[in-house]
């Protein structure tokens, strides 16, 4: 900023000198007398332009560097969040699939007639616990059905034994 102000000062002074020359007479002075002064003015103007251009390039470069730094940190933050979300998703899906696989295996065992197996996760208070409760209800209905069939077979055998006894 100081360099810009320093480069601008000769330009402002020369502009004031021109205003003073025109202001005194109301007309432009003869150019021949002021060519050297005009050349010096153009040289100062060019110097001020170069200083301003250099300062602008420096400011733009600093802004670009800050932008690049923020972009990189935002990118790294987004990648970290994505990795965390992926890890959580993997952990949850793996845990859930393991639980469901064990419940399906229990259902298959019950379907094959083995009622000695106990459904896992009965104490869970979320979805797998509710599924385990349904598997336990399925097991209980199998046990009830087996007991009913057994009672019917015993009743049929008693009835047949009574008929034989009557003959």
């Amino acid at each position: 900023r100081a360099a810009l102000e320093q480069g601008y000062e000769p330009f402002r002074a020369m502009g004031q000198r021109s205003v003073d020359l025109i202001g005194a007479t109301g007309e432009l002075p003869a150019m021949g007398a002021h060519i050297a002064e005009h050349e010096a003015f153009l040289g100062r103007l060019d110097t001020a332009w170069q200083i301003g251009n250099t300062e602008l390039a420096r400011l733009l470069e600093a802004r670009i560097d800050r932008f690049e730094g923020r972009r990189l940190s935002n990118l790294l933050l987004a990648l970290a969040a994505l990795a965390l979300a992926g890890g959580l998703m993997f952990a949850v899906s793996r845990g859930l699939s393991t639980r469901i696989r064990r419940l399906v295996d229990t259902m298959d065992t019950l379907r094959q007639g083995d009622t000695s197996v106990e459904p896992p996760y009965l104490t869970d208070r979320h979805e797998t616990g509710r599924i385990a409760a349904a598997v336990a209800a399925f097991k209980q209905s199998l046990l009830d059905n087996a007991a009913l069939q057994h009672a019917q077979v015993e009743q049929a055998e008693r009835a047949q034994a009574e008929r034989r006894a009557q003959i």
Side-chain angles (χ1 to χ4, degrees), residues 86-140:
L88 285 173
M89 184 178 66
F90 177 76
V92 167
S93 67
R94 183 168 174 100
L96 190 57
S97 67
T98 300
R99 290 171 167 268
I100 290 176
R101 187 176 321 112
R102 286 192 60 202
L103 287 167
V104 167
D105 290 345
T106 301
M107 284 291 289
D108 287 341
T109 303
L110 289 171
R111 187 175 46 90
Q112 293 168 1
D114 182 3
T115 56
S116 65
V117 66
E118 287 297 321
Y121 313 118
L122 284 171
T123 59
D124 287 359
R125 297 186 336 171
H126 45 73
E127 290 82 5
T128 53
R130 290 173 53 196
I131 294 170
V135 172
F138 177 68
K139 176 185 174 182
Q140 188 59 46

Side-chain angles (χ1 to χ4, degrees), residues 7-24:
Y8 174 71
E9 187 56 36
F11 172 70
R12 190 184 64 68
M14 189 63 182
Q16 187 61 45
R17 170 104 169 99
S18 297
V19 168
D20 291 345
L21 285 173
I22 293 173

Side-chain angles (χ1 to χ4, degrees), residues 40-59:
F41 172 72
L42 289 178
R44 289 185 197 121
L45 181 61
D46 187 52
T47 301
W49 174 263
Q50 289 175 2
I51 290 171
N53 193 28
T54 302
E55 185 65 14
L56 180 61
R58 186 190 66 77
L59 289 172

Side-chain angles (χ1 to χ4, degrees), residues 14 31-44:
M14 189 63 182
M31 288 304 289
H34 299 287
I35 288 181
E37 195 173 325
H38 181 68
E39 290 294 324
F41 172 72
L42 289 178
R44 289 185 197 121

